[in-house]
């Protein structure tokens, strides 16, 4: 009678795996919600920039970046951020700190292509801002989630 409901044998390694699975699912759920918010915010910001006259024309090929392009790229790289957060949760003793360092570094690197694109000033400025929009959503959200899941 004591074996399954007592605090003894039944509460061993399985509960540790359950806790880890719960933390992982919470992180992924939070990350996917933040991805949706970042995608919507970035796409709306791009639409607003277009409404005030930014053309988003990239001189290399002369094509204009469509609004759907902002949504797809934001969603893709936000999911990459979630994968990095999950890996750090699994393998780093300080996942929140490592995530912030990694994500901020990658965000800084992502600013280089707009600066090197040769686009006009309005497009370059808008693209730089649009790189920062999802970063301001994803980085604090995932870092906070990593902190609360490792306490």
């Amino acid at each position: 009678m004591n074996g399954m409901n007592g605090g003894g044998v039944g509460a061993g390694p399985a509960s540790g795996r359950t806790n880890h699975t719960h933390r992982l699912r919470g992180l992924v759920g939070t990350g996917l919600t933040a991805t949706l918010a970042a995608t919507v915010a970035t796409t709306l910001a791009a639409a607003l920039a277009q409404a005030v006259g930014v053309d988003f024309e990239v001189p290399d090929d002369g094509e204009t970046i469509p609004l759907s392009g902002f949504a797809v790229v934001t969603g893709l790289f936000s999911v990459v951020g979630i994968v990095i957060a999950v890996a750090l949760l699994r393998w780093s003793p300080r996942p929140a700190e490592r995530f912030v360092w990694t994500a901020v570094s990658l965000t800084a690197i992502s600013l280089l292509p707009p600066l090197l694109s040769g686009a006009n000033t309005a497009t370059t400025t808008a693209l730089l801002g649009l790189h920062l929009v999802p970063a301001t959503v994803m980085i604090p959200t995932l870092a906070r989630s990593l902190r609360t899941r490792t306490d």
Side-chain angles (χ1 to χ4, degrees), residues 86-151:
V86 165
L88 290 170
L89 178 64
R90 172 71 175 98
W91 290 297
S92 176
R94 297 185 337 227
E97 180 182 321
R98 299 280 188 236
F99 176 77
V100 170
W101 187 88
T102 302
V104 168
S105 298
L106 291 172
T107 301
I109 291 168
S110 81
L111 299 176
L112 293 176
L115 291 172
L116 301 174
S117 71
N120 65 43
T121 303
T123 297
T124 300
T125 303
L127 289 172
L128 291 172
L130 290 172
H131 277 78
L132 299 177
V133 170
T136 60
V137 173
M138 295 302 295
I139 295 172
T141 301
L142 290 173
R144 186 172 35 256
S145 187
L146 285 167
R147 270 193 285 280
T148 60
R149 306 229 183 280
T150 57
D151 288 343

Side-chain angles (χ1 to χ4, degrees), residues 20-32 142 145 149:
H20 178 72
T21 301
H22 178 52
R23 289 172 27 194
L24 182 64
R25 284 185 182 159
L27 175 61
V28 171
T30 299
L32 291 175
L142 290 173
S145 187
R149 306 229 183 280

Side-chain angles (χ1 to χ4, degrees), residues 15-74:
S15 67
R17 271 182 266 145
T18 302
N19 186 33
H20 178 72
T21 301
H22 178 52
R23 289 172 27 194
L24 182 64
R25 284 185 182 159
L27 175 61
V28 171
T30 299
L32 291 175
T33 302
T35 296
L36 180 60
T39 300
V40 169
T42 303
T43 305
L44 287 174
L48 180 62
Q50 268 187 342
V52 298
V54 177
D55 61 14
F56 292 117
E57 184 177 322
V58 181
D60 288 343
D61 57 12
E63 291 191 28
T64 300
I65 302 169
L67 288 179
S68 61
F70 293 105
V72 169
V73 171
T74 300

